[in-house]
Amino acid sequence: MVMLLAAGPAVIAVAPSAEASVPSLATRAAYQARVIQQINAVRASNRRGGLSFSNCPARFATNWSSYLARTGAFYHQSMYPILRVCRASRVAENLARGNVSADRIVAAWMASPGHRANVLDGRLTRVAVSAVYARGQWTVTADFARY
């Protein structure tokens, strides 16, 4: 199994790690929190402000990760509903799929120019991350916003 990152037509492959069984809800929450923690650590090391969690993009991230995990599809959702419903002035999205740690997800995003640009965009101030484990792999959606 490999990890996939959605960046238009580009795909990045990362070697998988072992995962014994389907994670609990607490493990899923910890994985999501770790992704946000790592994003903010990278932002801090690049002299960017931290991103605050936001419930509005969280609804979109949760629905999208669930859809992608359930169907096996892998592409970005339209950002227009997030702009409209969340009354955001700017939004962005990073996706990843694979049987890897939260740290490896963020490291892979940082190795991809488009994903890196989203993580380090100083105009973005909010983030929501959803990670769904299905079929032996994580499907991760990070939705960024500025209100």
Side-chain angles (χ1 to χ4, degrees):
M1 214 170 307
V2 297
M3 181 169 69
L4 301 175
L5 300 176
V11 175
I12 296 174
V14 177
S17 65
E19 183 72 31
S21 63
V22 176
S24 67
L25 290 177
T27 299
R28 180 180 171 197
Y31 189 100
Q32 294 167 168
R34 180 67 180 178
V35 170
I36 293 172
Q37 179 184 24
Q38 288 302 104
I39 287 170
N40 279 328
V42 166
R43 286 176 64 92
S45 70
N46 284 273
R47 297 191 171 125
R48 304 292 193 286
L51 300 172
S52 301
F53 174 81
S54 182
N55 282 321
C56 188
R59 293 186 310 229
F60 290 93
T62 299
N63 289 340
W64 196 244
S65 286
S66 296
Y67 169 78
L68 294 176
R70 184 177 66 254
T71 64
F74 195 69
Y75 57 92
H76 289 285
Q77 65 185 310
S78 171
M79 297 286 96
Y80 294 113
I82 300 173
L83 282 167
R84 187 182 71 253
V85 173
C86 298
R87 296 183 179 167
S89 60
R90 181 173 194 82
V91 294
E93 178 172 84
N94 283 1
L95 299 176
R97 176 177 282 155
N99 188 6
V100 296
S101 69
D103 292 17
R104 298 249 344 242
I105 293 283
V106 175
W109 284 340
M110 295 310 294
S112 165
H115 296 95
R116 179 183 180 86
N118 288 344
V119 169
L120 295 179
D121 188 336
R123 298 166 292 186
L124 297 167
T125 58
R126 307 292 179 131
V127 68
V129 172
S130 175
V132 175
Y133 193 85
R135 299 181 190 150
Q137 59 191 348
W138 290 100
T139 299
V140 181
T141 301
D143 284 335
F144 304 88
R146 178 183 184 95
Y147 300 135

